[in-house]
Amino acid sequence: MTTLTPGLSPQETAAATTPQGGPALPQEIRLVTEVPGPRSRELAARRTAAVSAAVGSSMPFFAQAAGGGVVVDVDGNSFADLGSGIAVTTVGNAAPAVVAAVTEQVARFTHTCFMITPYDSYVELAERLAELTPGDFAKKSAFFTSGAEAVENAVKIARAHTGRQAVVVFDHAYHGRTNLTMAMTAKNMPYKNGFGPFAPEVYRAPLSYPFRDGLDGPTAAARAISLIEKQVGAANLAAIVVEPVQGEGGFIVPAPGFLPAIAAWAKENGVVFVADEVQTGVARTGAWFASALEGIEPDLVTIAKGVAGGLPLSAVTGRAEIVDAPVTGGLGGTYGGNPLATAAALAVLRTVEDEDLLARARQVEDVLFRRLRALAARDPRVGDVRGRGAMVAVELVRPGTTEPDAALAKKVATEAAQRGVIVLTCGTDGNVLRFLPPLSIGDDLLEQAFDVLDGVFAAS
Ligand SMILES: Cc1ncc(COP(=O)(O)O)c(C=O)c1O
């Protein structure tokens, strides 16, 4: 069935279907007004009057439609999307299989609350995630709505299982904005500033950050383990929570051997090893889960973002005996595993398989590395190019140093939006540009977006 796109004739709509079968929007960068255009400016004025100033938006325009690799704004401008709504629309925005599954479900029932009247899609999703997460052992899942909620629940589960309280997280970590996850998140501004007191029993260890510490993985792990043993003590430690590739902290890929050494130490000491795969999970890095690429089998994995194609769903999936540890009724929530979200998630997982999106993520990785390494070769402000799959970043520095250049990252992201490309920044120092295109983006559009970025760098 062809879905009509506002502003397009049926013929134009049909012609605009992407090779990946994505939604029918012309796959092009097209600016028809200044950015932001008049309708976006009008909405921005209403927003300023009605929406909390504490909720920020990086783009100055309002969305009207999105699909394939583009976001179209309310003025008819079409932007190449290199952000996927922060790593969420991995299978594409309004991906046809997700739209069909949610449409079918919404007409049957919207909610019963799994804690009241259960339904099959919740169970099927738990079965699928048990198969897809790393590790050949019995696994179970519980579902929630946000990534932060999944992380909170992973900690609850680890505490119930171990009878211990302490939690170790790492430098540059980002785990969310709730009280416990604020404590677990490293960066103060803007996530924590003025919001304390924070949850106790959270300890921070040094990460492996090859660009900045120059340590090999085992040495960096020994440094972290020494600190954990001295400052926390294994006997008090419930869980170690780590992102296999750090997201908001700057797309930091730890040196090889770092994560396996930490995981092995956790195992020897009865500590629950939690991989926070909220950003890296579900095909984003070219594997179902990035832990597999690091050769680790986490006890628990937290999953959100890309798993449900834009519907709010998160999960804790892991060793059955650990996930079963809390008392019955100890986990849950009114909307956790809502039927629209579980239907969407099952459609996302099918789409990853049907369209071989793991391979597509690796192809996207090739394009991102080729373009960004070429940029780094001619521009000394690009200090490092790193990442995995369709999750790649450049760290910007003052030439000849490792001194962060946050102003340049901001300038490039702002100017890229003016020229029709959505790019996000991240990093504890705000000096990282990150690239997270949806896997439904076509190669032509991806290359065009990087042509635009080359121009922005040359002019900045
Ligand atoms: C690794 C990681 N954990 C947790 C979160 C929090 O997820 P949410 O914003 O859905 O609460 C994020 C969000 O960016 C994340 O990247």
Side-chain angles (χ1 to χ4, degrees):
M1 192 186 82
T2 306
T3 312
L4 276 183
T5 306
L8 294 184
S9 70
Q11 291 73 22
E12 284 169 325
T13 300
T17 303
T18 66
Q20 286 80 24
L25 286 173
Q27 296 298 298
E28 62 187 15
I29 297 169
R30 185 189 66 235
L31 298 180
V32 294
T33 69
E34 59 190 335
V35 177
R39 294 196 62 200
S40 278
R41 286 203 302 272
E42 209 178 295
L43 284 164
R46 282 171 49 199
R47 171 211 168 111
T48 302
V51 178
S52 166
V55 181
S57 297
S58 9
M59 294 299 130
F61 50 86
F62 280 69
Q64 165 82 7
V70 298
V71 173
V72 178
D73 79 0
V74 288
D75 292 289
N77 300 303
S78 175
F79 299 83
D81 180 9
L82 302 186
S84 300
I86 322 188
V88 170
T89 53
T90 308
V91 299
N93 213 314
V98 173
V99 172
V102 173
T103 305
E104 191 276 332
Q105 177 61 47
V106 79
R108 270 198 303 134
F109 62 95
T110 51
H111 177 81
T112 57
C113 188
F114 191 78
M115 298 185 302
I116 305 298
T117 310
Y119 36 88
D120 62 353
S121 58
Y122 191 115
V123 179
E124 189 181 340
L125 184 59
E127 290 166 348
R128 293 291 290 125
L129 291 176
E131 288 161 11
L132 297 173
T133 46
D136 189 15
F137 40 79
K139 295 184 204 129
K140 293 192 179 185
S141 290
F143 297 128
F144 310 97
T145 46
S146 68
E149 216 188 334
V151 173
E152 289 241 0
N153 278 279
V155 171
K156 282 162 66 173
I157 291 167
R159 285 177 171 159
H161 172 72
T162 57
R164 307 172 184 172
Q165 295 184 347
V167 178
V168 161
V169 291
F170 288 86
D171 283 336
H172 310 287
Y174 183 87
H175 296 294
R177 297 171 180 267
T178 58
N179 189 263
L180 174 58
T181 56
M182 272 194 295
M184 296 170 70
T185 289
K187 189 173 174 176
N188 173 52
M189 193 63 94
Y191 308 123
K192 304 164 73 159
N193 194 51
F195 295 148
F198 302 112
E201 287 303 320
V202 175
Y203 301 88
R204 195 167 306 284
L207 184 78
S208 162
Y209 191 163
F211 177 62
R212 293 195 173 274
D213 65 22
L215 299 179
D216 62 40
T219 308
R223 177 179 65 169
I225 289 166
S226 162
L227 182 141
I228 296 168
E229 287 177 338
K230 286 184 196 135
Q231 298 188 17
V232 188
N236 301 307
L237 185 55
I240 294 176
V241 184
V242 62
E243 299 155 82
V245 176
Q246 275 194 336
E248 309 301 300
F251 282 25
I252 304 164
V253 185
F258 175 78
L259 290 173
I262 301 280
W265 181 87
K267 192 172 187 158
E268 279 159 30
N269 290 281
V271 174
V272 177
F273 183 88
V274 183
D276 182 352
E277 294 237 23
V278 165
Q279 190 152 164
T280 51
V282 192
R284 176 52 60 188
T285 63
W288 277 105
F289 292 92
S291 295
L293 301 173
E294 302 294 335
I296 52 173
E297 294 182 350
D299 296 312
L300 302 177
V301 183
T302 54
I303 305 164
K305 289 190 183 277
V307 72
L311 276 87
L313 182 111
S314 66
V316 179
T317 299
R319 288 184 188 276
E321 68 279 14
I322 300 181
V323 179
D324 273 344
V327 293
T328 301
L331 303 180
T334 305
Y335 294 115
N338 169 273
L340 303 180
T342 48
L346 288 170
V348 164
L349 301 182
R350 270 197 312 275
T351 303
V352 172
E353 277 173 349
D354 293 350
E355 298 183 8
D356 198 5
L357 293 183
L358 302 185
R360 178 66 190 144
R362 292 191 288 268
Q363 289 165 1
V364 169
E365 175 184 285
D366 289 344
V367 176
L368 297 180
F369 275 136
R370 175 169 48 75
R371 297 297 303 244
L372 292 170
R373 283 178 181 147
L375 176 67
R378 61 176 185 271
D379 193 328
R381 298 170 299 176
V382 178
D384 195 22
V385 182
R386 57 180 181 247
R388 287 195 187 285
M391 181 175 180
V392 171
V394 289
E395 179 157 356
L396 304 180
V397 293
R398 304 212 181 279
T401 74
T402 55
E403 201 187 314
D405 191 346
L408 178 61
K410 191 166 179 213
K411 191 170 177 198
V412 170
T414 305
E415 183 56 29
Q418 295 296 318
R419 300 190 190 191
V421 179
I422 298 173
V423 182
L424 312 180
T425 61
C426 67
T428 302
D429 292 302
N431 66 324
V432 177
L433 282 175
R434 55 172 154 175
F435 303 94
L436 291 158
L439 299 177
S440 51
I441 196 168
D443 282 343
D444 287 355
L445 183 61
L446 195 56
E447 299 279 2
Q448 260 176 47
F450 277 94
D451 293 344
V452 169
L453 277 168
D454 284 348
V456 172
F457 265 94
S460 296

